[in-house]
Amino acid sequence: MSQDCFVLLPRDGLSVKDGRGWYTSEVGRGHSHPWPLPTTVRGALRAAWGQDLMTTQPGVRMTPAEWEQRSAGVKLTRFVALRRFFAESPFELAHRMWPFPADAVLVGAEKGPVGRVEHLLPHRPAAGRSASTLGPDEDSAREGLWHPRRVSRGKPSTAPRFWSEAEMVCWLLGHDVAVPQELSPEQRTDLHVSIDPSRQTAEDSMLHSRQVVELLRLEREGEKAPRAVEWALGLCCEQPERDAVRGFPSGVLGLGGRRRLTDVERVTPDLFACPPEFKPKASKGLRLVLATPACFARGWLPDGFARDAGLYVGSLPKVAGPVVLRAALVPRAQDVSAWDMVKKEPRQTRRWVPAGAVYFFEKQRGDDFTAEELRALWLASWGGGHEEALGQVLPGVWTPPPASGA
């Protein structure tokens, strides 16, 4: 199977519509996701692959329906955010950026905006005092999940969208992390207008705005002079075995709304490997942080887990033996709409567990998660949508609290 790894470097921003009105001229404003979705990137890869195939193989021409069918074998296998100073080369592990985990809380200080980062850890529910959920059915396993608690008082602050590689590795190993710098691409607003020359006024429905995510910007660290920073999309993809195109992609790609051009820079698969600094010890508990959104058949509940004596019991990739789901810190679901380029109509809306959600596990037999199992879980795929790089996880250690009276 052919595998290509490269980085996409948008130079004119990105606008990835979030489904709130497909026709911008009708609603007056185009809303964009704050960061491109894996499904959008895979769609751009499928389009570019078809163009390269027809260019490199004389006589090959495809209708839209044939394009849709033949490009289905183009799979996105890795998808990470990257950030580096402009023209700094090449990309390496330290440039990776990860979604802020849901088990971390920024807490305000007595003086100043943010004072510290706290661990949000689940605790065993107290008998007769635990709050009930509002599920649509009676589910003793759901009611038995452990609830997260803060260990101190203080007003939570708004979390950044991303953490750096060093901060995330430190967090996964269970260490404290200093208050992170606000690192996130910014959005700008582009205005569009069309003038009727006969009236010298804007034409009806042609005055509208569009959100654009700016990935090339100036950032200032402390009192230092601002420096140009570029955000990028690191990815690996597989091509159909029978129709693999050599040197894919052959040039710049069109990505997102208006097919804004993105430059391409080649990288090796090492850019997506488990970092050497991640050296966990055997752990009684396991945390899984979603590095990319996950698609589970039953919403927030991971695939492969079922009720067993008042618990959710199932299996995990790369882990020996059954495990028990102890807690799930899941932010609001991410509704995803996409456009069918063949039928020219919206696809069915899907609901994903957003990146940054955290799940906590123990082994059913009480064994430890070994260091080898933890490292093997780095960017392992979980749930559905593997061809879109959905459900890729980061493993972290966790020490479950002792049982009452233990």
Side-chain angles (χ1 to χ4, degrees):
M1 183 67 70
S2 173
Q3 178 171 261
D4 301 277
C5 299
F6 47 91
V7 171
L8 298 181
L9 296 150
R11 284 293 176 263
D12 190 26
L14 285 177
S15 180
V16 182
K17 285 187 176 181
D18 64 1
R20 283 180 286 178
W22 286 110
Y23 301 100
T24 306
S25 59
E26 293 182 357
V27 297
R29 181 178 182 181
H31 299 271
S32 174
H33 287 284
W35 186 253
L37 301 175
T39 186
T40 303
V41 176
R42 183 181 177 233
L45 293 178
R46 293 175 67 176
W49 173 84
Q51 292 168 347
D52 283 2
L53 183 69
M54 290 192 294
T55 301
T56 56
Q57 296 187 14
V60 174
R61 292 292 180 268
M62 292 183 285
T63 65
E66 292 170 340
W67 198 313
E68 173 88 356
Q69 181 182 13
R70 295 182 68 171
S71 68
V74 178
K75 300 177 181 178
L76 183 64
T77 57
R78 289 285 184 265
F79 182 64
V80 300
L82 299 167
R83 174 188 175 274
R84 70 178 179 185
F85 291 117
F86 183 65
E88 188 181 36
S89 180
F91 279 105
E92 54 189 33
L93 298 185
H95 295 135
R96 297 190 297 194
M97 304 295 292
W98 302 105
F100 191 82
D103 64 336
V105 182
L106 298 187
V107 181
E110 295 181 1
K111 296 181 180 179
V114 177
R116 61 189 182 279
V117 181
E118 277 191 13
H119 294 262
L120 191 60
L121 297 176
H123 291 258
R124 299 174 188 272
R129 296 182 57 187
S130 59
S132 299
T133 61
L134 297 176
D137 54 1
E138 298 295 334
D139 187 343
S140 59
R142 184 183 62 236
E143 302 301 327
L145 290 175
W146 297 7
H147 295 175
R149 283 186 218 151
R150 295 261 312 276
V151 297
S152 66
R153 295 183 178 181
K155 185 177 181 180
S157 300
T158 303
R161 181 165 298 280
F162 291 103
W163 258 5
S164 68
E165 170 85 1
E167 290 165 336
M168 180 56 85
V169 170
C170 190
W171 188 257
L172 294 174
L173 291 173
H175 304 319
D176 291 333
V177 174
V179 175
Q181 184 185 356
E182 175 64 46
L183 299 175
S184 181
E186 292 184 340
Q187 286 191 338
R188 71 168 194 259
T189 300
D190 286 359
L191 295 178
H192 300 255
V193 64
S194 179
I195 303 296
D196 182 346
S198 63
R199 294 185 289 119
Q200 292 295 300
T201 59
E203 293 186 3
D204 293 340
S205 77
M206 293 305 292
L207 176 60
H208 53 84
S209 65
R210 179 190 303 271
Q211 288 181 325
V212 176
V213 182
E214 187 59 77
L215 291 100
L216 186 60
R217 54 189 294 244
L218 290 175
E219 290 184 0
R220 180 190 295 273
E221 294 184 6
E223 300 299 325
K224 299 179 181 178
R227 295 182 62 180
V229 169
E230 58 182 349
W231 289 76
L233 314 174
L235 53 95
C236 283
C237 70
E238 291 179 357
Q239 302 183 53
E241 195 165 355
R242 294 180 56 185
D243 291 327
V245 177
R246 193 169 184 178
F248 173 75
S250 60
V252 296
L253 269 75
L255 179 60
R258 297 188 171 237
R259 301 184 56 77
R260 293 170 184 263
L261 297 181
T262 65
D263 204 354
V264 176
E265 184 174 317
R266 299 284 173 182
V267 295
T268 67
D270 295 341
L271 184 62
F272 308 92
C274 183
E277 297 81 9
F278 185 65
K279 298 177 181 177
K281 297 180 181 177
S283 174
K284 186 62 71 177
L286 167 70
R287 288 179 291 156
L288 287 184
V289 181
L290 287 180
T292 60
C295 181
F296 296 138
R298 290 176 292 173
W300 66 271
L301 183 63
D303 293 349
F305 279 76
R307 284 176 292 200
D308 182 359
L311 301 170
Y312 286 124
V313 180
S315 60
L316 294 173
K318 317 290 186 184
V319 173
V323 298
V324 178
L325 174 63
R326 288 303 187 193
L329 307 188
V330 181
R332 177 173 297 182
Q334 187 171 13
D335 296 308
V336 178
S337 299
W339 187 261
D340 191 321
M341 298 298 289
V342 176
K343 298 179 180 178
K344 306 297 182 185
E345 62 184 27
R347 296 183 189 271
Q348 184 178 13
T349 299
R350 294 181 288 174
R351 304 200 84 188
W352 290 349
V353 178
V358 184
Y359 291 84
F360 295 77
F361 300 94
E362 284 185 302
K363 286 196 174 181
Q364 191 176 31
R365 301 189 183 97
D367 300 333
D368 289 350
F369 293 91
T370 66
E372 291 75 19
E373 287 176 326
L374 289 167
R375 285 184 61 83
L377 278 166
W378 188 270
L379 290 184
S381 295
W382 196 25
H386 292 186
E387 69 281 4
E388 295 178 308
L390 296 182
Q392 298 192 345
V393 299
L394 301 175
V397 300
W398 171 49
T399 303
S404 178

